[in-house]
Amino acid sequence: MKELFAILIGAMLVENFVLTKFLGICPFLGVSKKTSTALGMSGAVVFVLVLSQAVTWLANEYLLVPNKLEYLQTITFILVIAALVQFVETVLKKLMPSLYKSLGVYLPLITTNCAVLGSALIFVERDYTFVESVVFGFAAGLGFTLALILFSGVRERLETADIPEAFKGMPITLIAASLVSITFIGFAGLIIS
Amino acid sequence: MSIIIPVAVVSGLGLVFGLGLSYASKVFEVKVDERIGAVREMLPGANCGACGYSGCDGLAEAIVNEGVHASRCPVGGISVVNAISDYMGVDEGSIDVNVARVLCQGNCDNVKMKYNYLGIEDCHAANVLAGGMDACNYGCLGLGSCKKVCQFDAIVVENGLASIIAEKCTGCGNCVAECPKSIIKLIPVLSGFTVKCNNHDKGGVARKNCKVGCIGCQRCVKVCPSDAITMVENLAVIDPQKCTNCGQCAEVCPQKCITNTIVKRF
């Protein structure tokens, strides 16, 4: 239980995917303009991360490792994630139309979110068990959510701020992102044992 | 031999997923209004969100289910609007997109002056001095009050007459509210012919004051095949709902105050 908690806090804060590992920057910058869209995207990411962690762990453990095919991890994981996202989309459309609608276009976008592939490759590197890797995925998703919501708050403030002409738009967004990222490096001293 | 296993594993996975997905799409098939798909195909597919929906899918759904007009899509151009309107059986003429038009052609060459105005550059200020310097009390003063409120740089003032660049006009109506002479009107985009005059004086007075004013001769009313033109206090007014853009009124107008301004907005 203690290890799981350590993984949860670790993946969420200490090694936050977006702000300290710099994975999933594209959606981080792309959909953080408004808090409502940020929430939609984060919801989809948590959902897919947990599922993909479970499936990729099984694929790795029972397909790749016995056949000594670890070098195929990247391509296999991408295949698994893409198929999974597509499958989830089909199922949601039928069974939970309201959830499907609220996730909207973000669901298929996640296929190319490198945070999903990144967390799959990380659990292999760290030899996580099945439960551990699922918790890791969940925590990574929560960390992504946290970063996105915090940053969307910053960006909503930037909208009305008096910004020098040269910095308007993307430049000030990137500067703000780096500042938010620096604050998260403060968590690096947090050791849970 | 060693190459066969990895190839088999990856292609096997691909095959399994492919079959699984195609099976799932059959099992979990959702009946979608086929018109949504067809409209979606006609839209540009840029997914830019300029229409205000989440993407082309969102707009296609709104067009089919909520009767939103295809002109919501600013990207596709008139051909897309026409194609979708045809498909949905909506008359593209009933388009509810308006542009503002200045209903006056009284520039410094056409209209006589009552006095020489040297006050501040503002139509409201000039208007309180005996209704402005123009001899015609209904016309454009050309001091650019409308230009100041336009947020889209769609208004230019040249030679004492404001005119609107229709391609830039969004139909927001700021200028309509601002004009002290109320000569700016919102008119549907596809209605090409407008009487560019707002003068309610009798013919003789109007002609004396302005070279291009409506003199109320009613020739356009008589020639119009679709009864779209009516006289309102010595001024011809075209009803955009009835106008078919045939252009006969513009041909017969002796004052040339009916003009064709078909807008290439898209």
Side-chain angles (χ1 to χ4, degrees):
Chain A
M1 213 43 222
K2 225 166 97 186
E3 290 80 25
L4 291 183
F5 185 72
I7 288 173
L8 191 78
I9 296 294
M12 216 170 101
L13 299 175
V14 182
E15 34 174 39
N16 187 291
F17 265 50
V18 180
L19 295 171
T20 57
K21 282 199 178 308
F22 307 115
L23 290 168
I25 295 290
C26 167
F28 176 64
L29 292 175
V31 297
S32 61
K33 258 191 182 157
K34 267 164 54 192
T35 309
S36 55
T37 51
L39 272 174
M41 184 72 187
S42 319
V45 167
V46 173
F47 192 67
V48 171
L49 256 174
V50 171
L51 272 173
S52 75
Q53 284 293 87
V55 179
T56 46
W57 192 89
L58 292 175
N60 184 52
E61 190 71 14
Y62 295 110
L63 211 61
L64 298 185
V65 173
N67 293 318
K68 297 198 168 48
L69 293 174
E70 284 90 345
Y71 61 91
L72 283 177
Q73 268 155 2
T74 311
I75 189 169
T76 317
F77 289 173
I78 278 288
L79 193 66
V80 170
I81 292 165
L84 186 74
V85 170
Q86 188 60 52
F87 180 71
V88 166
E89 200 188 342
T90 322
V91 173
L92 277 188
K93 207 173 182 177
K94 174 79 175 179
L95 300 181
M96 285 182 265
S98 55
L99 181 62
Y100 173 78
K101 233 185 183 152
S102 60
L103 294 182
V105 72
Y106 302 121
L107 198 52
L109 276 182
I110 294 169
T111 319
T112 51
N113 185 341
C114 52
V116 179
L117 179 66
S119 66
L121 292 173
I122 287 171
F123 82 71
V124 174
E125 202 175 88
R126 296 187 184 167
D127 275 333
Y128 279 157
T129 63
F130 180 74
V131 178
E132 277 172 348
S133 67
V134 170
V135 169
F136 180 72
F138 180 65
L142 283 187
F144 183 85
T145 312
L146 184 68
L148 220 64
I149 289 172
L150 284 179
F151 193 55
S152 67
V154 172
R155 277 185 87 166
E156 280 182 358
R157 289 287 286 273
L158 283 179
E159 290 270 302
T160 52
D162 185 22
I163 302 161
E165 194 64 40
F167 287 104
K168 269 184 186 157
M170 226 0 135
I172 194 72
T173 308
L174 288 173
I175 292 170
S178 64
L179 289 177
V180 175
S181 164
I182 288 172
T183 63
F184 262 72
I185 290 175
F187 285 116
L190 195 64
I191 299 161
I192 304 143
S193 55
Chain B
M1 257 326 266
S2 61
I3 194 157
I4 290 177
I5 297 171
V7 169
V9 165
V10 174
S11 51
L13 266 180
L15 190 70
V16 169
F17 286 143
L19 289 176
L21 282 180
S22 65
Y23 181 68
S25 70
K26 281 272 175 297
V27 173
F28 296 104
E29 195 182 6
V30 183
K31 286 264 176 290
V32 187
D33 194 335
E34 61 178 21
R35 292 178 301 167
I36 294 179
V39 171
R40 171 70 185 78
E41 284 302 307
M42 291 182 216
L43 287 168
N47 282 320
C48 61
C51 51
Y53 293 90
S54 59
C56 293
D57 288 326
L59 180 60
E61 217 177 302
I63 287 174
V64 174
N65 293 338
E66 294 157 33
V68 172
H69 199 273
S71 57
R72 266 305 268 279
C73 176
V75 178
I78 198 82
S79 56
V80 169
V81 175
N82 286 343
I84 295 175
S85 303
D86 281 353
Y87 181 77
M88 293 299 296
V90 181
D91 183 11
E92 67 262 29
S94 66
I95 206 163
D96 64 342
V97 175
N98 290 327
V99 284
R101 279 182 203 159
V102 179
L103 299 185
C104 181
Q105 299 189 100
N107 58 23
C108 295
D109 305 327
N110 289 334
V111 71
K112 282 192 187 141
M113 293 289 162
K114 269 192 292 217
Y115 58 88
N116 204 1
Y117 179 76
L118 294 170
I120 54 170
E121 288 273 305
D122 185 88
C123 300
H124 298 277
N127 192 33
V128 291
L129 286 173
M133 59 289 198
D134 289 2
C136 166
N137 267 338
Y138 300 90
C140 177
L141 299 170
L143 295 170
S145 286
C146 49
K147 188 182 171 173
K148 280 176 212 148
V149 295
C150 182
Q151 296 173 10
F152 306 98
D153 294 331
I155 301 182
V156 286
V157 178
E158 274 175 334
N159 201 11
L161 175 68
S163 59
I164 288 167
I165 304 164
E167 287 81 358
K168 288 187 185 171
C169 177
T170 61
C172 68
N174 277 354
C175 52
V176 177
E178 184 71 11
C179 180
K181 296 287 192 187
S182 302
I183 53 168
I184 306 183
K185 297 260 158 62
L186 287 176
I187 289 168
V189 149
L190 293 173
S191 170
F193 290 89
T194 39
V195 180
K196 285 219 161 177
C197 183
N198 195 39
N199 188 316
H200 292 287
D201 286 334
K202 287 220 170 75
V205 182
R207 180 178 294 197
K208 205 173 83 193
N209 290 335
C210 181
K211 287 181 198 163
V212 288
C214 173
I215 52 172
C217 66
Q218 307 204 14
R219 284 173 73 175
C220 50
V221 178
K222 284 170 200 147
V223 80
C224 181
S226 43
D227 293 331
I229 309 182
T230 47
M231 295 304 292
V232 182
E233 292 176 42
N234 301 316
L235 176 67
V237 176
I238 299 178
D239 181 356
Q241 304 299 334
K242 290 185 188 161
C243 177
T244 57
N245 287 335
C246 69
Q248 294 180 39
C249 50
E251 281 165 29
V252 297
C253 181
Q255 295 290 93
K256 297 287 166 238
C257 68
I258 300 182
T259 56
N260 177 8
T261 35
I262 288 218
V263 177
K264 289 202 176 59
R265 182 187 176 80
F266 299 102

